[in-house]
């Protein structure tokens, strides 16, 4: 059986298991607990459904651009590895994919409002 990793409901970072007695922490930081609370309040004020999230236009555009770059890198890699690829082809494909994945990983999508879980 694999151990379930607890994740912060705000940023999805792993939350360490409690070392002592008491209720286990739900958030990785106190500030994330506060931001989650504020996002939930705004969602309620805006009438967001439980499965809805509100993000800024800039964040949405940025996220879409990064996903597009990742898709393009994957398509390039698939093309480069099509016919009898060499070790050099694999290395270049990996580098291209790694760079695109790193840019995507570095991005933090942050909700303004978050529907109830
Ligand atoms: Zn967090």
């Amino acid at each position: 059986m694999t151990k379930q990793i607890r994740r912060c409901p705000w940023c999805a970072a792993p939350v360490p298991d409690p070392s002592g007695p008491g209720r286990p922490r739900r958030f990785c930081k106190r500030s994330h607990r506060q931001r989650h609370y504020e996002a939930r309040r705004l969602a309620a004020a805006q009438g967001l459904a439980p499965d809805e999230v509100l993000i800024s236009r800039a964040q949405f555009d940025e996220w879409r651009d990064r996903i597009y770059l990742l898709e393009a890198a994957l398509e390039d890699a698939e093309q480069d590895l099509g016919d009898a690829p060499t070790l050099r082809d694999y290395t270049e494909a990996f580098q291209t994919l790694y760079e695109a994945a790193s840019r995507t990983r570095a991005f933090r999508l942050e909700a303004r409002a978050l529907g109830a879980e």
Side-chain angles (χ1 to χ4, degrees):
M1 187 173 129
T2 54
K3 189 177 174 191
Q4 194 80 358
I5 296 173
R6 299 169 51 81
R7 295 203 174 266
C8 174
W10 182 248
C11 71
V15 178
D17 282 334
S19 54
R23 200 166 65 167
R25 287 172 39 193
R26 207 172 149 221
F27 296 87
C28 70
K29 298 175 189 169
R30 188 175 290 204
S31 63
H32 286 186
R33 186 175 139 207
Q34 180 63 26
R35 285 154 91 173
H36 187 259
Y37 170 75
E38 289 165 2
R40 296 280 303 277
R41 271 189 53 173
L42 182 58
Q46 296 291 321
L48 259 58
D51 63 341
E52 292 179 316
V53 172
L54 182 67
I55 60 173
S56 73
R57 180 69 199 208
Q59 282 248 306
F60 176 75
D61 289 344
E62 181 69 27
W63 178 248
R64 199 170 50 184
D65 287 350
R66 288 175 192 241
I67 294 297
Y68 173 77
L69 290 173
L70 194 53
E71 287 172 354
L74 186 57
E75 286 171 14
D76 286 351
E78 287 169 345
Q79 226 166 22
D80 292 347
L81 299 176
D83 274 338
T86 64
L87 181 58
R88 185 189 174 113
D89 293 330
Y90 277 109
T91 302
E92 287 176 4
F94 173 78
Q95 286 170 338
T96 301
L97 281 170
Y98 186 79
E99 286 169 23
S102 295
R103 284 193 301 267
T104 304
R105 178 178 64 180
F107 181 73
R108 291 288 169 257
L109 189 61
E110 198 163 285
R112 284 187 175 169
L114 198 58
E117 295 163 47

